[in-house]
Amino acid sequence: MFGKILIANRGEIACRIIKTARRLGVATVAVYSDADRDARHVEMADEAVHIGPAPAAQSYLRIENILEACRKTGAEAVHPGYGFLSERAAFAEALAADNIAFIGPNVGAIAAMGDKIESKRFARAAGVSTVPGNLDIIKDGADAARIAAEIGFPVMIKASAGGGGKGMRIARSASEVEEGFARAKSEAKSSFGDDRIFIEKFIENPRHVEIQIIGDKHGHVIHLGERECSIQRRNQKVIEEAPSPLLDAATRELMGAQAVALAKAVSYDSAGTVEFVAGQDRSFYFLEMNTRLQVEHPVTELITGLDLVELMIRVAAGEPLALEQEDVRLSGWAVESRVYAEDPTRGFLPSIGRLTTYRPPAEGKFGELTIRNDTGVVEGGEIAIHYDPMIAKLVTHAPTRSEAIHGHSAALDAFAIDGIRHNIPFLSSLMSHPRWREGRLSTGFIAEEYPEGFSNPAPTGAIALRLAAIAGAIDYQLNQRKRQISGQMPVAKAVTFERRRHVVVGAEDFAFEIDETPKGLDLAFEDGRLVSIIPMWKPGEPVWRGVVDGERIAAQVRPILNGVLLAHGGFFAEARIYTQREAELVRLMPEKRTADSGKHLLCPMPGLIREVLVSEGQAVKAGEALAIVEAMKMENILRAERDATIGRVYAAAGQSLAVDAVIMDFAA
Amino acid sequence: MRHVIEELERRRDEALAGGGARRVGAQHAKGKLTARERVELLLDKGSFEEFDMYVEHRCADFGMEKQKIPGDGVVTGWGTINGRAIFVFSKDFTVFGGSLSEAHAAKIIKIQDMALRTRAPIIGLFDAGGARIQEGVAALGGYAEIFRRNVEASGVIPQISVIMGPCAGGDVYSPAMTDFIVMVRDTSYMFVTGPEVVKTVTNESVTAEELGGARIHTTKSSIADIAFDNDVEALLQLRRLIDFLPANNTGGAPHWPSFDDVDRVEPSLDTLVPDNANKPYDIKELIEKTVDERDFFEIQGAFAGNIVTGFGRIDGRTVGFVANQPMVLAGVLDSDASRKAARFVRFCDCFDIPIVTFVDVPGFLPGVAQEYGGLIKHGAKLLFAYSQCTTPLITVITRKAFGGAYDVMASKHIGADVNYAWPSAQIAVMGAKGAVEIIFRQDMADKDKIAALTKSYEDRFLSPFVAAERGYIDEVIKPRETRLRIARALAMLRGKTAEKPWRKHDNIPL
C-alpha cells in the first residue's frame, strides 16, 4: 500500500479521494491553482502544492507541474480524479517514467479506450455490440455532411477526445452537420487540445446505461452493475441512478458480461465505465469506455456498499481484487443529482461568484434513508469561471426507488445556496416530475418535458396550500416576538394581534385563522381545510423546517418586503402576509409595470464574446444565432427570441462582458 | 341622552366620509389609499384615536364660507405600533385637495405639541396640494408654526414623513426638517416649484415625476431616504422601521428577544476579503451576517452606494451601521457619501443608538468636481458627526483605512470606544505604490530597488499591527468572530456616559 498519494484534481472529487485515503491511513497531497488557494481540497489534504495560475491549461493540465509536485512531496502515487489528466496516456506514461504509480488503468488501456474511434474497433473485436457509424477522422464540414448522409440522419457529431457532453452535437440535416462540425471542432480544440471529430448514428429516444467495472493487475475483472444516466441536458448528465429502471436481470448480465469482455480485451486494471446507449426495447450498443472514476460513481457505491476509490488505490498498489462477481450484491436504490452553478431560468447559463450561503442537508443514515453530499466547496467559497460549474453531488439511497426519490426531494428542499444562481429548483422540479417518478426515461427527457426551458413554477393545489400555511406560521412567529418589544404602553396589552390572516401568493389569496395548540399551530383555512404545523425554525435561518400535517418537511425561506420567498418541491412562492384589512386594501394597489428587456440582447453570463454573427441593420428570424459567448469553456450560442432587425451592435469579438451587459439592441 | 349620542354618531359619520364617495373613488383609482385607510394600516388595529375630526376652516373669502367639510383636509391623532405610542397626521386629498388652512395647521400643531410633550414619535403622511390659496397669509403662518415645531422636536423625538401623493411648495419644508422621508413610487412627488413654474422661469420641460418623483429623490437629490412600490408596502415597512427606533432621546433603543445566538460564528467571513486588494466584495454580506436574523433596514440605499447606512439589531437591540462599500467606487469617501453618513450618524447619536462602523476606505475621492463641490466641507460633516458622538461607537477595519479617511471613519482618535481590525486590515497613510513613489522619489529609476521598497512597505504598513502597537486598534479579531466581539463590546458599553461642555449648539460645517 502507498504511504502518500497526490490527487491531481480539484473540487469535490479531490475531497472525495482524500476522504478515502485518510480512512486508509494514506497521506494526501493536494495541488492547487491561484484560484483555489482557499479551496476545500487544499484545506483537507495533509499537504498542498501550488501548481500555477487559474486557467487549467496552465495548472491542472500541466503534467510537468504535477510531476514536480510529486517529487517535492515524495508522493508514491497519483489519483487523477475525473476530467483534467485522468484519461491522458501521456500523463500515465510520464508518471511511470518517474516511478510514480498511476491510480488508474495501464497506459495501453487508456490509449485504446481513450480514443473513441479506437475503442469502437476494440469493442467490435471483443464482441460488444456497437452503433453503426464512421470511425474515420473527418476532414471538414463537407466530408462530415457526406458521411452523415451515408449513415443516415440523425447523426451525432463527437469529439474524439471529448467526454461529459463537451464537443458533442446532434445534427438532423446536412447544414446542421456543417455548422455542428465547425463548433464541435473549435470546442474540442479549446477544451481538449485535440480537434479530431467523428460521426455516428444517433439512436432515437435512447437511454444512457453504463456498467461500472473494476479490474486488478492480475487479470481479474468484475462488474458492479449498471447506472442509468438518461436525464441529461445537452448531453451533460444531470441525474443518475443505480440500478436502472430499464434493465432486467438478463439484460444486466448480458451488458455486464460484454463490459467485462471488453475490459479483459485491453487488460483493464482499475475502475472504469463502459457506456451503452440503450433503446426502450433494452437493445444496447457500446458508446465508449471511460478509463477513470466517473462523476456518478457514488450511486454504485451506495448500492454495492463498496468504496471505488479504495478499490482503485488497492489495485494500483498491486493488491489482487478480493471480490468475485458473485460477491457483488446490489441492494436498494440510489439517486444522484448534480448541483450546478447555473441559472435554470436563464437557459442554464453558468453563474459565478461567492457562495454567501452554502448549507447542504445533513449527511448520514436516517432510518432507511442515506444522504450523501460530495462537495468541494464551503460557505464563503468562490465559484470561479475557470472550472466546471458543479458545486456538489447530492446522493440518496433507500430500499426502493420511490423512497430514494422522495428522500432526494426532501434533501433538495433543505439545500441552501445563496450568492450565485444554482439549479436546485430545476432538480427539485425533476424529482417531482411524474415521468421521472415512473422511470419512463430517455436522454431527450429534459428537452421533451421542458421544451421552453425552466421557469420557476408557481405552486397550485396542495403544495400552494402547504406553502401558504408555512408563510402563515412564519408570520405568526414574527408577530409573537413583536408583541414583546420594549416600551409598550401599559394599556397596549389590550391591543389584539389579529388571528385572521391572508397569505397572498400571486393571484391566489388564502385566508385563515391561526391558533396556538399545545403542540404547535393550527391554521383553519376559509375553505374548511385545516393545516397543523409544528415549526422548528428560527427567523434568520435560510431553511424552514417543521412538521406539516404530520410530515417533516423543509423549505427554503428568504425574506422579501412584507413577506417571504418560499421554495419547496420545485415550486416557488412569493408569499405576502396580511391582516384582513391589509388584504382588502392591497387589492386597490395598481400592478407595477416591469421594464421591457425585449429590446436588447444582454450578455446572459460573464464571459468572452467569441463571435458576433450578425451586423447592424440585418433582419433575423426567431432562433437565428446572434452571437457566441464563451464561458466556463462552453460556447453558448445566443439566439433571437423573435423575428427582429438588428439595431446597434455594442460588443465585438474578444471582448469580456459582465452579466447583463448589452451586446446589441434591436430596431423597433 | 340617546339623541345626543345619535348626534355624535351622525357627526362622526359625516367626518369619516371625508371628501365623499366620488373623491374617495378617484383617490383609489389613482392607486392611492385615503388618509384614514393609511392611518388604519400604519397603526395597530383599533388603536387610532382621532382628534379634531369636527374642525372646520374659518375662511370667509372667495365663497369658502359655503364649503365646509369636517376635518378640513387632515386626519390627526394617535395610536400604537406594536403597542408603542405614535402620533400621526395624514393629509386628506379628498378634502380641499389636502390643502393647508389655518385650522388644518392648528390640528397638526396640536399633535406636534402633544408628541413632543409625551416624547413619542410623530409620523406625517403627505398627499396634498399645498397652501389653501383662499386663506393667504393665515396658511403661511400655519406652515411656519409647523416648521418651528419640527425644529423644536428635532433630536428629541423621531419625526418621519411619508410622501404618498403631491407635496409641493410650503408642504415640502416640514418633511425636509424631519428625520426620514419615505416616498411611494409613481404616485408621489415633491418639489418647491412645479413643472409649470419651472417651464416659465427656466424654460425647462419636465414632468412631475422627473422633477420630484421617488426615483429622483432617492438616487439624485437624496431628499428621500427610501421608496416603496405602493401605499400598503410603504406603511407596513414604516411599522418595521418604527420597531428599530427609540421613542425619544432619553428612552434608549427598543429591544426584543432575539432568535439569533449572540455567539454565532461565521467561518465564511474569513474569506470575505479577497486576496487581491483590488478586488471588491460586498460589505452588506458582513452586515447581514453580523446582525440578528440577517434583518437589516437600509437607509438611503439607492444613494451614494459607496457607503452603506442602516439599522440592524444585535442581541435584540437596535444598532446603526455605517460601512464603506468596496463594490461601489471602491468604497471611497466622496461628498455624497460623507453627507449621507454624517446625517445617519447624527440621527443615531441624537437617540443614543450605538453605531458600528465597518471600514474599508481607500481615501477621499480626488477630482476637480469633488473639490469644487465642497468635498472638504462635506467630508468635515462626517468627521464632525462622529467626533461629537456620545453614543457607543465600535469600529471594525476590514481592509483599507488610508489617510484622512482613516481618521474620519470612527477612528480611536475622534472618540470611538472600541476599535477592532481584521488581520487583513491595512492602516496606513496610503497604498504601497504611492507611498514608495513619494518617499523614494530619487530612486524611481531603479526598478528593483523600488520593488523591494514597495514590498517592505507592504509588509510593515499594510497590516493592522503598526496601529495596534500604538493602541489605536484595541484588538485584531478573526473575521468569523465579528458578531460575537461586537455584541460583547455593545454589552460592555451599555453604561457609557459622556459629558460635553455646555454650549448653545455646535456649528457643524453645513
Side-chain angles (χ1 to χ4, degrees):
Chain A
M1 181 52 93
F2 308 113
K4 186 191 274 187
I5 63 169
L6 180 143
I7 296 100
N9 213 304
R10 61 178 302 282
E12 66 88 14
I13 194 61
C15 299
R16 155 77 192 86
I17 294 162
I18 292 169
K19 235 183 229 175
T20 290
R22 176 163 300 164
R23 187 169 57 73
L24 299 177
V26 177
T28 52
V29 181
V31 292
Y32 63 93
S33 73
D34 286 344
D36 281 337
R37 237 168 249 287
D38 295 319
R40 183 164 178 262
H41 73 279
V42 175
E43 198 115 308
M44 280 178 71
D46 298 312
E47 288 172 77
V49 182
H50 177 243
I51 50 161
Q58 294 168 53
S59 49
Y60 296 104
L61 287 169
R62 276 271 166 94
I63 293 174
E64 186 44 45
N65 296 11
I66 306 283
L67 288 176
E68 185 55 39
C70 290
R71 287 181 210 122
K72 215 188 276 178
T73 55
E76 297 151 56
V78 170
H79 196 305
Y82 54 72
F84 294 136
L85 297 170
S86 61
E87 291 176 288
R88 291 267 180 97
F91 181 50
E93 272 165 8
L95 288 172
D98 242 16
N99 256 331
I100 298 162
F102 179 67
I103 304 175
N106 61 73
V107 176
I110 299 175
M113 292 297 113
D115 186 309
K116 283 187 183 143
I117 298 168
E118 278 301 300
S119 72
K120 293 239 155 130
R121 296 190 211 281
F122 264 99
R124 270 183 204 166
V128 179
S129 68
T130 55
V131 189
N134 181 296
L135 301 186
D136 295 321
I137 300 297
I138 295 155
K139 295 195 293 289
D140 54 28
D143 195 20
R146 183 184 54 76
I147 291 163
E150 277 172 29
I151 298 168
F153 292 104
V155 295
M156 173 82 95
I157 304 163
K158 296 170 100 175
S160 183
K166 280 178 182 161
M168 280 160 90
R169 273 180 172 70
I170 299 161
R172 295 180 189 277
S173 68
S175 67
E176 280 184 27
V177 169
E178 289 197 36
E179 186 194 336
F181 176 79
R183 292 272 160 273
K185 203 170 166 72
S186 88
E187 242 179 66
K189 179 96 189 160
S190 73
S191 294
F192 319 110
D194 176 351
D195 65 355
R196 288 176 303 153
I197 299 294
F198 71 101
I199 293 181
E200 66 183 20
K201 171 105 184 129
F202 177 66
I203 290 155
E204 288 286 2
N205 220 5
R207 297 169 73 133
H208 178 112
V209 181
E210 59 190 31
I211 299 284
Q212 174 71 51
I213 57 133
I214 177 90
D216 65 15
K217 290 186 189 302
H218 311 280
H220 184 36
V221 181
I222 59 170
H223 74 86
L224 304 177
E226 82 284 6
R227 294 182 286 259
E228 175 154 6
C229 322
S230 295
I231 308 278
Q232 308 182 348
R233 204 185 60 77
R234 289 171 57 180
N235 294 310
Q236 180 87 37
K237 294 164 189 167
V238 178
I239 290 176
E240 300 102 342
E241 62 183 315
S244 158
L246 176 72
L247 296 203
D248 51 26
T251 314
R252 178 173 300 124
E253 200 172 316
L254 200 60
M255 254 182 169
Q258 286 197 8
V260 168
L262 174 62
K264 284 192 167 157
V266 292
S267 308
Y268 202 82
D269 53 354
S270 184
T273 298
V274 181
E275 296 192 336
F276 293 94
V277 55
Q280 297 292 342
D281 57 358
R282 300 199 188 95
S283 63
F284 59 88
Y285 308 95
F286 173 73
L287 208 54
E288 63 183 53
M289 179 168 184
N290 294 319
T291 58
R292 53 166 158 89
L293 190 65
Q294 294 277 98
V295 175
E296 59 273 21
H297 74 274
V299 290
T300 298
E301 294 188 325
L302 286 178
I303 62 159
T304 58
L306 298 169
D307 181 332
L308 280 167
V309 172
E310 176 183 350
L311 296 179
M312 285 178 85
I313 294 174
R314 289 193 185 282
V315 296
E319 290 183 25
L321 191 61
L323 279 169
E324 296 303 325
Q325 188 62 57
E326 51 274 23
D327 298 332
V328 179
R329 293 261 175 277
L330 308 184
S331 105
W333 213 284
V335 174
E336 171 180 287
S337 64
R338 300 189 186 187
V339 179
Y340 282 109
E342 62 185 18
D343 187 345
T345 63
R346 295 179 76 168
F348 297 90
L349 295 167
S351 173
I352 56 167
R354 179 177 155 82
L355 291 163
T356 56
T357 306
Y358 178 76
R359 306 272 165 93
E363 291 183 83
K365 215 163 155 45
F366 307 91
E368 290 190 311
L369 176 74
T370 302
I371 297 178
R372 167 172 166 181
N373 186 54
D374 284 15
T375 190
V377 300
V378 289
E379 186 167 280
E382 190 92 13
I383 302 296
I385 198 161
H386 312 284
Y387 313 111
D388 188 89
M390 194 169 76
I391 305 170
K393 298 181 320 205
L394 181 67
V395 199
T396 53
H397 177 265
T400 64
R401 186 170 188 268
S402 72
E403 289 165 292
I405 291 173
H406 186 80
H408 206 100
S409 249
L412 285 169
D413 285 337
F415 205 137
I417 299 177
D418 286 323
I420 52 148
R421 307 290 302 177
H422 56 80
N423 67 338
I424 288 176
F426 179 61
L427 296 174
S428 291
S429 167
L430 283 171
M431 279 299 146
S432 54
H433 198 291
R435 197 179 138 191
W436 152 253
R437 295 213 161 194
E438 289 158 26
R440 289 187 291 113
L441 312 179
S442 90
T443 54
F445 183 95
I446 290 174
E448 287 154 25
E449 300 300 328
Y450 299 88
E452 307 294 321
F454 175 77
S455 56
N456 294 334
T460 52
I463 294 267
L465 183 78
R466 175 179 273 195
L467 293 182
I470 292 172
I474 287 171
D475 179 59
Y476 185 82
Q477 247 177 303
L478 294 171
N479 283 332
Q480 284 305 99
R481 198 252 307 271
K482 283 177 192 163
R483 304 178 68 157
Q484 298 178 57
I485 195 165
S486 63
Q488 297 190 36
M489 300 192 313
V491 294
K493 294 258 189 297
V495 173
T496 48
F497 283 76
E498 294 163 71
R499 287 168 44 238
R500 190 179 166 76
R501 297 273 158 171
H502 287 250
V503 172
V504 178
V505 181
E508 275 199 274
D509 183 334
F510 298 87
F512 57 86
E513 290 217 354
I514 190 161
D515 264 311
E516 221 166 298
T517 65
K519 286 179 80 178
L521 299 168
D522 272 355
L523 290 85
F525 283 83
E526 212 167 33
D527 60 7
R529 290 182 291 186
L530 185 86
V531 180
S532 293
I533 292 189
I534 306 169
M536 297 184 294
W537 171 81
K538 289 190 302 183
E541 290 175 345
V543 179
W544 186 90
R545 288 167 214 277
V547 180
V548 178
D549 288 337
E551 192 188 346
R552 262 192 93 123
I553 65 163
Q556 297 294 316
V557 48
R558 302 290 182 278
I560 52 174
L561 274 184
N562 305 318
V564 284
L565 175 70
L566 294 171
H568 172 78
F571 293 98
F572 268 81
E574 276 190 12
R576 291 196 159 74
I577 306 118
Y578 299 114
T579 62
Q580 176 76 19
R581 187 67 176 135
E582 287 160 7
E584 279 163 27
L585 293 177
V586 83
R587 284 182 211 123
L588 298 172
M589 297 293 101
E591 277 206 30
K592 289 281 160 181
R593 302 177 307 272
T594 44
D596 178 24
S597 62
K599 285 165 94 170
H600 303 279
L601 176 69
L602 304 180
C603 191
M605 73 214 115
L608 182 78
I609 298 285
R610 254 286 130 101
E611 217 177 326
V612 176
L613 302 164
V614 292
S615 50
E616 292 180 4
Q618 187 180 331
V620 291
K621 292 259 172 248
E624 198 168 326
L626 301 175
I628 303 171
V629 178
E630 190 188 88
M632 302 246 181
K633 298 195 293 180
M634 287 289 280
E635 288 190 357
N636 299 278
I637 302 181
L638 307 180
R639 295 177 187 278
E641 283 179 14
R642 54 186 163 78
D643 297 355
T645 304
I646 308 297
R648 258 190 78 187
V649 176
Y650 298 90
Q655 207 174 329
S656 279
L657 292 187
V659 65
D660 283 342
V662 179
I663 298 173
M664 62 186 71
D665 59 21
F666 303 105
Chain B
M1 189 63 191
R2 211 177 74 213
H3 71 280
V4 281
I5 290 177
E6 276 169 7
E7 169 65 7
L8 169 67
E9 278 169 358
R10 189 193 64 75
R11 292 200 57 163
R12 268 193 188 166
D13 288 346
E14 189 190 358
L16 294 177
R22 194 180 56 79
R23 288 208 181 87
V24 168
Q27 180 81 351
H28 286 163
K30 283 184 219 151
K32 300 195 293 184
L33 298 180
T34 66
R36 284 192 179 78
E37 286 166 346
R38 286 168 176 163
V39 171
E40 230 185 314
L41 292 198
L42 177 64
L43 301 175
D44 295 335
K45 188 184 182 185
S47 75
F48 180 54
E49 188 166 330
E50 186 168 344
F51 288 167
D52 297 339
M53 69 164 80
Y54 317 109
V55 164
E56 292 174 347
H57 68 77
R58 294 177 293 277
C59 179
D61 298 312
F62 309 106
M64 282 300 285
E65 67 278 8
K66 293 191 201 94
Q67 297 179 51
K68 291 198 176 189
I69 301 174
D72 206 34
V74 63
V75 175
T76 62
W78 72 278
T80 58
I81 291 181
N82 291 321
R84 298 164 74 218
I86 303 287
F87 286 83
V88 59
F89 64 90
S90 178
K91 302 261 185 174
D92 190 346
F93 195 78
T94 67
V95 177
F96 304 120
S99 62
L100 183 129
S101 69
E102 188 186 3
H104 173 131
K107 285 180 69 174
I108 295 174
I109 290 163
K110 188 197 250 186
I111 65 144
Q112 280 186 303
D113 287 342
M114 286 195 70
L116 185 57
R117 212 152 57 222
T118 58
R119 299 290 194 264
I122 181 165
I123 298 173
L125 309 178
F126 290 82
D127 182 4
R132 202 168 302 163
I133 317 271
Q134 295 90 332
E135 294 214 1
V137 73
L140 296 184
Y143 271 130
E145 296 270 350
I146 293 169
F147 301 155
R148 186 169 62 81
R149 281 165 179 78
N150 284 134
V151 176
E152 286 290 304
S154 182
V156 182
I157 52 171
Q159 303 179 83
I160 301 174
S161 306
V162 192
I163 316 302
M164 312 185 87
C167 181
D171 261 6
V172 300
Y173 281 106
S174 173
M177 279 183 298
T178 59
D179 299 301
F180 299 107
I181 296 181
V182 177
M183 290 185 79
V184 179
R185 294 191 188 101
D186 302 335
T187 49
S188 76
Y189 54 83
M190 62 190 301
F191 34 65
V192 178
T193 48
E196 298 81 14
V197 182
V198 168
K199 177 77 186 158
T200 321
V201 177
T202 67
N203 207 26
E204 295 161 302
S205 289
V206 284
T207 62
E209 178 67 25
E210 287 164 353
L211 189 60
R215 204 180 60 80
I216 291 302
H217 285 319
T218 51
T219 61
K220 239 186 159 77
S221 74
S222 83
I223 300 297
D225 295 281
I226 190 161
F228 297 101
D229 271 350
N230 59 51
D231 284 12
V232 175
E233 195 173 81
L235 294 164
L236 297 187
Q237 285 298 309
L238 209 59
R239 288 175 63 90
R240 181 173 159 234
L241 175 60
I242 286 289
D243 285 346
F244 282 101
L245 303 183
N248 55 58
N249 62 344
T250 56
H255 53 90
W256 63 24
S258 168
F259 286 104
D260 211 341
D261 298 329
V262 173
D263 51 3
R264 168 168 53 81
V265 291
E266 288 285 348
S268 62
L269 292 179
D270 290 351
T271 54
L272 180 65
V273 173
D275 289 335
N276 180 345
N278 297 321
K279 242 188 105 184
Y281 59 92
D282 189 357
I283 202 72
K284 284 188 197 168
E285 184 182 338
L286 172 58
I287 297 174
E288 280 169 14
K289 287 182 175 175
T290 300
V291 297
D292 288 353
E293 302 155 28
R294 296 197 167 200
D295 186 14
F296 179 59
F297 194 106
E298 190 171 358
I299 299 291
Q300 297 243 337
F303 180 75
N306 37 335
I307 205 154
V308 177
T309 55
F311 300 106
R313 292 184 187 83
I314 288 184
D315 201 14
R317 286 172 191 272
T318 305
V319 175
F321 284 85
V322 177
N324 306 114
Q325 172 58 289
M327 298 272 278
V328 181
L329 295 171
V332 75
L333 279 179
D334 57 6
S335 299
D336 287 348
S338 303
R339 276 195 296 124
K340 167 179 165 179
R343 181 154 171 82
F344 182 77
V345 166
R346 277 169 64 91
F347 175 83
C348 290
D349 189 50
C350 280
F351 294 101
D352 261 335
I353 298 170
I355 300 168
V356 170
T357 305
F358 291 137
V359 183
D360 184 352
V361 63
F364 280 100
L365 181 63
V368 174
Q370 285 293 316
E371 298 292 351
Y372 285 10
L375 178 62
I376 296 171
K377 207 160 226 180
H378 295 303
K381 287 175 182 156
L382 183 54
L383 178 58
F384 199 106
Y386 268 125
S387 300
Q388 70 178 171
C389 278
T390 56
T391 193
L393 293 181
I394 296 167
T395 305
V396 182
I397 300 175
T398 59
R399 187 164 65 177
K400 294 170 197 155
F402 287 169
Y406 155 73
D407 284 336
V408 170
M409 291 303 295
S411 64
K412 197 68 159 180
H413 325 284
I414 65 169
D417 298 295
V418 177
N419 295 65
Y420 291 131
W422 284 4
S424 48
Q426 308 173 352
I427 306 164
V429 172
M430 58 174 73
K433 192 169 164 286
V436 169
E437 280 172 9
I438 292 169
I439 304 171
F440 302 101
R441 186 167 291 158
Q442 68 283 3
D443 297 320
M444 280 311 288
D446 189 343
K447 289 271 182 294
D448 293 341
K449 190 168 177 189
I450 289 294
L453 288 165
T454 306
K455 177 80 174 63
S456 79
Y457 182 95
E458 281 170 359
D459 292 347
R460 175 74 183 126
F461 294 102
L462 297 190
S463 88
F465 292 105
V466 176
E469 283 161 16
R470 291 180 176 267
Y472 301 163
I473 293 296
D474 298 303
E475 172 65 308
V476 179
I477 63 169
K478 285 185 185 168
R480 62 170 68 200
E481 292 173 358
T482 304
R483 172 175 160 88
L484 165 69
R485 303 299 289 248
I486 291 173
R488 280 178 52 86
L490 284 169
M492 178 268 284
L493 289 167
R494 203 163 291 157
K496 177 179 175 183
T497 44
E499 303 264 323
K500 295 276 173 180
W502 185 90
R503 65 179 142 204
K504 197 166 168 197
H505 60 71
D506 58 53
N507 187 17
I508 189 165
L510 291 173

